Amino acid sequence: MKTNGGRRRIRALCWSPRAWRGAGMAQKKYLQAKLTQFLREDRIQLWKPPYTDENKKVGLALKDLAKKYSDKLECCENEVEKMIEEIRCKAIERGTGNENYRTTGIATIEVFLPPRLKKDRKNLLETRLLITGRELRSKIAETFGFQENYIKIVINKKQLQLGKTLEEQGVAHNVKAMVLELKQSEEDVRKNFQLEEEEQNEAELKEKQIQRTKRGLEILAQRAAETVVDPEMTPYLDIANQTGRSIRIPASERKALMLAMGYHEKGRAFLKRKEYGIALPCLLDADKYFCECCRELLDTVDNYAVLQLDIVWCYFRLEQLECLDDAEKKLNLAQKCFKNCYGENHQRLVHIKGNCGKEKVLFLRLYLLQGIRNYHSGNDVEACEYLNKARQLLKELYIDPSKVDNLLQLGFTAQEARLGLRACDGNVDHAATHITNRREELAQIREEEKEKKRRRLENIRCLKRMGYSTHAAQRALHAASGNLDEALKILLSNPQMWWLNDSNPETDNRQESPSQENIDQLVYMGFDALVAEAALRVFRGNVQLAAQTLAHNGGSLPPDLPLSPEDSLSPPATSPSDSAGTSSASTDEDMETEAVNEILEDIPEHEEDYLDSTLEDEEMIIAEYLSYVENMKSATKKN
């Protein structure tokens, strides 16, 4: 992203130091995955005898099974027995739920609670699928002790819609539902009433923030679609390629793509602040809008791939990776998209940018997440392979702090220094030249783009002075690729475009009948009096448009042009703000300005911000998971 006057441009293309109970949790997930693997390989059905008796109690044979697998895994027999018993109980619960669903239609939903609830984070909830999303949210809040208005439910990687039934939203039996809390509540049980009230206020503010995000992005996307804003005065978003130049996107795709990228940037801003519970809804909204774009577009820009990484990363940081059934699919999709965008060996990227050092950050994150996913799935060999790939890239991307300091002393920012050094393999002189050249190149591109925008705006104003509406002028110029003369020909050949009004009462110059003076003007120009009167009625007394249309069509009106403007154009609707008075309109405008500014604050100035990372979080996680893998390998060798 970068700023140009009022524009913010969207490029088309943390691990906290607290002790994670992940040491135990990650290894427990690994062991559960391995045990599940062994049970499948040995075709053991724990819900049947001899492992479960007729009363659904544990059978004696389970102890022998625990001993067999504990020897195989080099683990404590009691721990393995407990884990197998957990798997057995879940299998029985699922079987009971399936039978119950077949006979009563009551579905079971697996509810994943926030990380702060250290025990019983995974729970089952029974419900009918004909209830609304709001009723399910209320039921979850009541069952698990949440305040209803301060939670969001994510099912099938989508936010639960409150007004629709579960069935309408594709919610099925045995689906997984993740609960996101909008308030921070690590110590809820110890907070007094005053602090709880403050947290409620915080949750309300965050919910309003989410709504402002949506409104701000819609305003900016609409401005981008209209392309009639003053580039010096009005903030708007623009889509640029990897070199920084604006790119044309089909109108049918542009708004969806703009909203997708906008939500992605907002989600990334929350990720940076480690507000994962708010980041995830933004990222999922981005995914939804990206899916409205054509497949060809998604395969040619890297934004969609980066989004897939960010979604999986967010689930991981929320400690809810098991909720994301298609984590592997998303990571494979990201890898495929990077290959399409960058080329087999990054040759396309090198051709465009001259290097591929900065993009290695994305592959480090990809390999790390693939390693974590494989570890949690019990695939220790694949996990080790991916984690070692990530560690190797970490070494290649390491930056000497003294080199960053050298570039800072030359007047560059820390972000520019990191990106420049990675692009130039750590060479300070080359990095300084690279950053300087890039600054100059971007300054030139910004000026060219501003000039192009100013010319387009002036052309629109020129057509408006001729009597055409902003909407009609915009449509004609788009069709004529910005050529004013060609746009005018299009408008003259399609006079019905004049009725593409701006829904503005001030542009509604309708009159009951044309004045005799205007008719006489057209007659003096050589047009028939009856035809002149009809043309003036069509164009509501606009002599210039009537004369141009008659001249262009040999002195007559086009046969397919309705002679009554009322047939094609209804009176402009009065907006609520018009009837509410100046004060209300001013308030709405202030709220829109606030929403837009809040979006712009989170859109980074540097177009390669998504490639900039200190990699401190990644370094810690790589080391931690490699230690888990090494422990498993050591146990295997001993065995």
Side-chain angles (χ1 to χ4, degrees):
M1 299 242 180
K2 46 187 187 285
T3 308
N4 184 7
R7 171 180 57 185
R8 290 296 171 91
R9 177 168 291 180
I10 304 181
R11 174 202 58 83
L13 346 128
C14 0
W15 185 256
S16 61
R18 68 184 174 85
W20 180 43
R21 42 182 195 280
M25 184 178 294
Q27 290 175 347
K28 182 181 178 182
K29 287 178 181 177
Y30 170 82
L31 289 173
Q32 285 175 333
K34 291 299 288 185
L35 287 170
T36 303
Q37 228 177 58
F38 295 157
L39 291 168
R40 284 175 182 160
E41 289 170 0
D42 295 342
R43 297 184 179 181
I44 290 174
Q45 298 175 319
L46 291 175
W47 59 94
K48 293 182 178 180
Y51 309 104
T52 299
D53 63 21
E54 59 186 11
N55 298 317
K56 296 185 179 178
K57 300 293 183 182
V58 60
L60 295 175
L62 193 132
K63 281 189 175 292
D64 296 332
L65 197 63
K67 183 169 190 325
K68 173 185 174 182
Y69 290 154
S70 64
D71 290 343
K72 201 170 182 179
L73 290 168
E74 195 70 20
C75 292
C76 171
E77 185 177 333
N78 287 339
E79 287 301 315
V80 171
E81 186 177 348
K82 284 179 186 177
M83 286 185 193
I84 296 177
E85 173 62 5
E86 280 183 27
I87 295 171
R88 188 190 73 86
C89 290
K90 285 175 187 174
I92 292 173
E93 282 178 352
R94 182 174 284 266
T96 303
N98 291 342
E99 181 63 29
N100 190 38
Y101 180 62
R102 281 193 293 270
T103 56
T104 67
I106 297 176
T108 300
I109 293 178
E110 196 171 3
V111 182
F112 289 76
L113 302 176
R116 71 178 182 85
L117 302 174
K118 298 183 181 180
K119 293 183 179 179
D120 301 323
R121 283 177 50 195
K122 194 179 349 179
N123 297 268
L124 299 180
L125 183 73
E126 293 186 339
T127 181
R128 293 193 179 275
L129 299 178
L130 294 177
I131 68 171
T132 64
R134 181 174 281 103
E135 290 172 307
L136 178 63
R137 185 182 70 169
S138 178
K139 193 171 185 177
I140 288 175
E142 182 181 351
T143 304
F144 301 110
F146 296 108
Q147 296 181 60
E148 183 178 344
N149 292 329
Y150 306 139
I151 59 173
K152 285 188 178 293
I153 313 298
V154 175
I155 298 179
N156 296 331
K157 302 175 291 298
K158 296 176 183 176
Q159 287 189 66
L160 188 68
Q161 297 181 50
L162 301 182
K164 291 185 177 181
T165 66
L166 304 185
E167 199 170 58
E168 288 173 332
Q169 299 180 66
V171 176
H173 174 57
N174 283 333
V175 78
K176 295 177 180 178
M178 183 168 70
V179 179
L180 297 176
E181 268 188 306
L182 294 181
K183 63 178 183 175
Q184 302 299 316
S185 47
E186 290 284 349
E187 301 174 338
D188 272 355
V189 292
R190 297 200 295 272
K191 288 186 181 294
N192 57 32
F193 176 78
Q194 181 181 356
L195 288 179
E196 286 181 358
E197 191 175 52
E198 287 175 2
E199 287 195 342
Q200 289 178 18
N201 293 336
E202 181 186 351
E204 289 172 355
L205 287 173
K206 288 187 176 181
E207 177 60 29
K208 288 177 182 176
Q209 189 176 22
I210 290 171
Q211 295 305 317
R212 284 198 304 274
T213 294
K214 183 177 180 181
R215 180 60 186 144
L217 285 171
E218 286 174 348
I219 293 168
L220 288 166
Q222 187 61 37
R223 287 176 183 173
E226 291 171 354
T227 63
V228 295
V229 297
D230 185 338
E232 299 292 345
M233 301 298 294
T234 310
Y236 68 99
L237 294 180
D238 194 13
I239 301 176
N241 61 20
Q242 289 174 320
T243 65
R245 294 189 181 277
S246 295
I247 54 177
R248 291 189 67 178
I249 303 291
S252 58
E253 308 272 339
R254 187 176 181 86
K255 186 173 181 180
L257 185 60
M258 192 71 71
L259 286 169
M261 291 181 174
Y263 273 114
H264 189 189
E265 288 297 344
K266 192 68 181 177
R268 288 185 64 250
F270 286 126
L271 281 180
K272 287 181 183 178
R273 296 196 285 269
K274 303 189 185 301
E275 296 183 63
Y276 305 109
I278 305 180
L280 185 58
C282 289
L283 297 175
L284 293 177
D285 280 338
D287 199 33
K288 177 182 74 173
Y289 283 111
F290 266 123
C291 290
E292 293 180 13
C293 300
C294 66
R295 189 74 244 174
E296 292 78 9
L297 183 62
L298 297 185
D299 286 339
T300 54
V301 296
D302 66 354
N303 303 71
Y304 192 52
V306 176
L307 175 63
Q308 303 311 304
L309 294 185
D310 287 340
I311 289 174
V312 179
W313 182 256
C314 200
Y315 272 94
F316 168 63
R317 296 309 304 271
L318 286 166
E319 299 178 23
Q320 300 282 22
L321 201 53
E322 56 193 308
C323 276
L324 192 60
D325 291 328
D326 65 345
E328 181 180 13
K329 180 182 173 184
K330 284 189 173 297
L331 294 174
N332 289 340
L333 179 63
Q335 191 163 18
K336 178 185 174 183
C337 188
F338 284 140
K339 182 179 176 181
N340 291 339
C341 294
Y342 299 157
E344 185 68 43
N345 296 306
H346 303 172
Q347 69 268 25
R348 190 175 299 120
L349 183 65
V350 174
H351 177 72
I352 294 171
K353 288 189 169 184
N355 65 83
C356 61
K358 293 171 284 191
E359 279 71 17
K360 288 181 180 178
V361 168
L362 301 177
F363 288 91
L364 186 150
R365 176 72 62 87
L366 172 65
Y367 296 149
L368 172 56
L369 289 171
Q370 286 175 321
I372 292 170
R373 192 206 66 78
N374 273 288
Y375 181 80
H376 285 189
S377 300
N379 304 322
D380 46 315
V381 175
E382 291 85 350
C384 185
E385 180 184 341
Y386 282 118
L387 289 168
N388 279 320
K389 277 187 177 182
R391 180 167 60 180
Q392 180 57 39
L393 280 180
L394 183 67
K395 292 177 182 176
E396 293 176 21
L397 291 167
Y398 171 76
I399 296 173
D400 186 342
S402 65
K403 293 182 178 180
V404 175
D405 290 338
N406 290 340
L407 290 170
L408 290 176
Q409 291 172 13
L410 295 175
F412 302 120
T413 67
Q415 184 177 64
E416 286 177 320
R418 284 190 295 268
L419 291 169
L421 286 166
R422 282 177 181 150
C424 299
D425 296 323
N427 187 300
V428 176
D429 293 335
H430 291 174
T433 303
H434 173 82
I435 298 168
T436 302
N437 291 342
R438 186 60 182 153
R439 280 185 175 185
E440 292 172 355
E441 181 185 355
L442 288 176
Q444 181 181 347
I445 290 173
R446 289 186 187 117
E447 196 54 46
E448 290 172 3
E449 296 294 336
K450 279 203 301 187
E451 181 56 34
K452 191 188 300 182
K453 189 80 177 178
R454 278 194 291 265
R455 282 199 306 270
R456 180 175 177 80
L457 197 57
E458 182 52 43
N459 287 343
I460 290 173
R461 287 170 180 159
C462 181
L463 291 174
K464 286 180 69 176
R465 286 194 292 269
M466 295 180 187
Y468 294 103
S469 69
T470 298
H471 195 180
Q474 179 189 349
R475 288 272 295 273
L477 282 166
H478 180 76
S481 299
N483 186 295
L484 180 59
D485 293 335
E486 288 299 320
L488 185 56
K489 288 180 184 178
I490 291 170
L491 289 167
L492 290 172
S493 301
N494 301 276
Q496 65 272 18
M497 289 181 70
W498 183 74
W499 289 333
L500 295 170
N501 72 7
D502 300 320
S503 298
N504 186 345
E506 294 180 5
T507 64
D508 189 9
N509 298 320
R510 181 180 319 172
Q511 53 192 58
E512 292 299 325
S513 60
S515 68
Q516 188 60 46
E517 180 183 355
N518 288 348
I519 295 174
D520 290 343
Q521 283 187 54
L522 292 177
V523 171
Y524 181 76
M525 295 178 193
F527 299 115
D528 180 80
L530 291 176
V531 176
E533 183 178 354
L536 287 168
R537 285 183 183 277
V538 169
F539 293 109
R540 300 191 191 133
N542 190 309
V543 176
Q544 186 177 8
L545 281 177
Q548 287 175 341
T549 303
L550 291 173
H552 188 73
N553 291 277
S556 61
L557 289 171
D560 59 340
L561 188 67
L563 296 183
S564 171
E566 285 78 5
D567 293 341
S568 298
L569 183 65
S570 59
T574 303
S575 67
S577 58
D578 293 332
S579 57
T582 307
S583 175
S584 175
S586 176
T587 302
D588 290 344
E589 187 177 338
D590 289 343
M591 289 175 66
E592 289 194 353
T593 301
E594 181 184 354
V596 168
N597 288 340
E598 197 167 286
I599 294 294
L600 295 177
E601 285 172 4
D602 282 331
I603 293 179
E605 292 282 351
H606 201 290
E607 75 281 1
E608 292 184 328
D609 177 82
Y610 74 111
L611 300 174
D612 177 43
S613 173
T614 62
L615 299 179
E616 292 174 356
D617 291 354
E618 286 82 353
E619 183 178 10
M620 291 178 64
I621 299 170
I622 289 170
E624 186 155 10
Y625 271 84
L626 277 173
S627 71
Y628 302 156
V629 173
E630 289 301 321
N631 288 341
M632 291 301 163
K633 287 169 71 176
S634 299
T636 303
K637 286 178 182 177
K638 288 179 183 177
N639 188 44

